[in-house]
Amino acid sequence: MTTFLIIGAVGLGLLLVSLVIGDLLDGFLGGLLDWLASDWFSTAALAGFVSAFGFGGAIAHGPLDLGLLPSILIGSAFGALFAWFALWLTRLLKEEHTDAAPSGEAAVGLDAAVITTIPADGFGVVRVALGGHTVTYNAKAPDTDEAITPGTAVHVTGVLSPTAVTVAPTWREITS
């Protein structure tokens, strides 16, 4: 039973080291063992197997009073289960994607507010509400002959670069 407990403690130590330092087996031996590159041989999966094998075997051998071979089989079953769980969890974390940053193309067709004056022959700055973010872009109004003042509502009509857009004043409601 003591041997199984030591194996379990070594597995927990390996898991702790993998959490603190990172995946130890990643890039091991500089690519000589590329067939070991699968997630089954990650430090988290290996640590999960070793610790569950040790503690599962200790429970089977000690309190359940089973022989050595059944204890090894039960420990292996527990180890495989915990290795699979560690593999599933690390894949889930590695495949987690975040939304991309808003781009100028996504702003086309949206309304914006002018922050700094857009001169007839130059650039100003507009603010656009885009995907829950407030994004500012340099803006040019190529179709107007006069400056567009701050606070004016404009419509984003095109993209000049990742940080610059073209705009046009929005239609004002006709009042009588």
Side-chain angles (χ1 to χ4, degrees), residues 45-134:
L46 185 63
F49 176 82
V50 171
S51 61
F53 171 79
F55 292 129
I59 290 171
H61 193 63
L64 296 179
D65 199 27
L66 298 175
L68 184 60
L69 184 60
S71 298
I72 290 172
L73 294 175
I74 290 173
S76 297
F78 274 106
L81 179 68
F82 275 79
W84 174 83
F85 180 70
L87 171 68
W88 174 78
L89 192 59
T90 54
R91 279 186 182 167
L92 180 70
L93 293 174
K94 284 181 182 179
E95 293 173 0
E96 183 67 28
H97 299 287
T98 59
D99 292 336
S103 65
E105 288 86 15
V108 174
L110 297 178
D111 289 331
V114 177
I115 298 173
T116 63
T117 301
I118 303 173
D121 59 346
F123 284 89
V125 178
V126 295
R127 179 176 293 144
V128 181
L130 180 60
H133 300 279
T134 301

Side-chain angles (χ1 to χ4, degrees), residues 1-169:
M1 181 170 143
T2 304
T3 305
F4 283 118
L5 289 175
I6 291 171
I7 291 171
V10 167
L12 284 179
L14 182 61
L15 184 60
L16 180 65
V17 167
S18 85
L19 289 174
V20 172
I21 294 177
D23 201 357
L24 297 175
L25 296 178
D26 225 10
F28 184 65
L29 294 178
L32 292 176
L33 301 174
D34 283 339
W35 59 276
L36 290 177
S38 70
D39 286 336
W40 284 105
F41 293 98
S42 70
T43 307
L46 185 63
F49 176 82
V50 171
S51 61
F53 171 79
F55 292 129
I59 290 171
H61 193 63
L64 296 179
D65 199 27
L66 298 175
L68 184 60
L69 184 60
S71 298
I72 290 172
L73 294 175
I74 290 173
S76 297
F78 274 106
L81 179 68
F82 275 79
W84 174 83
F85 180 70
L87 171 68
W88 174 78
L89 192 59
T90 54
R91 279 186 182 167
L92 180 70
L93 293 174
K94 284 181 182 179
E95 293 173 0
E96 183 67 28
H97 299 287
T98 59
D99 292 336
S103 65
E105 288 86 15
V108 174
L110 297 178
D111 289 331
V114 177
I115 298 173
T116 63
T117 301
I118 303 173
D121 59 346
F123 284 89
V125 178
V126 295
R127 179 176 293 144
V128 181
L130 180 60
H133 300 279
T134 301
V135 184
T136 57
Y137 291 105
N138 296 320
K140 185 172 185 159
D143 296 335
T144 61
D145 294 331
E146 58 187 54
I148 301 174
T149 59
T152 304
V154 292
H155 190 75
V156 179
T157 58
V159 177
L160 297 172
S161 73
T163 59
V165 295
T166 58
V167 296

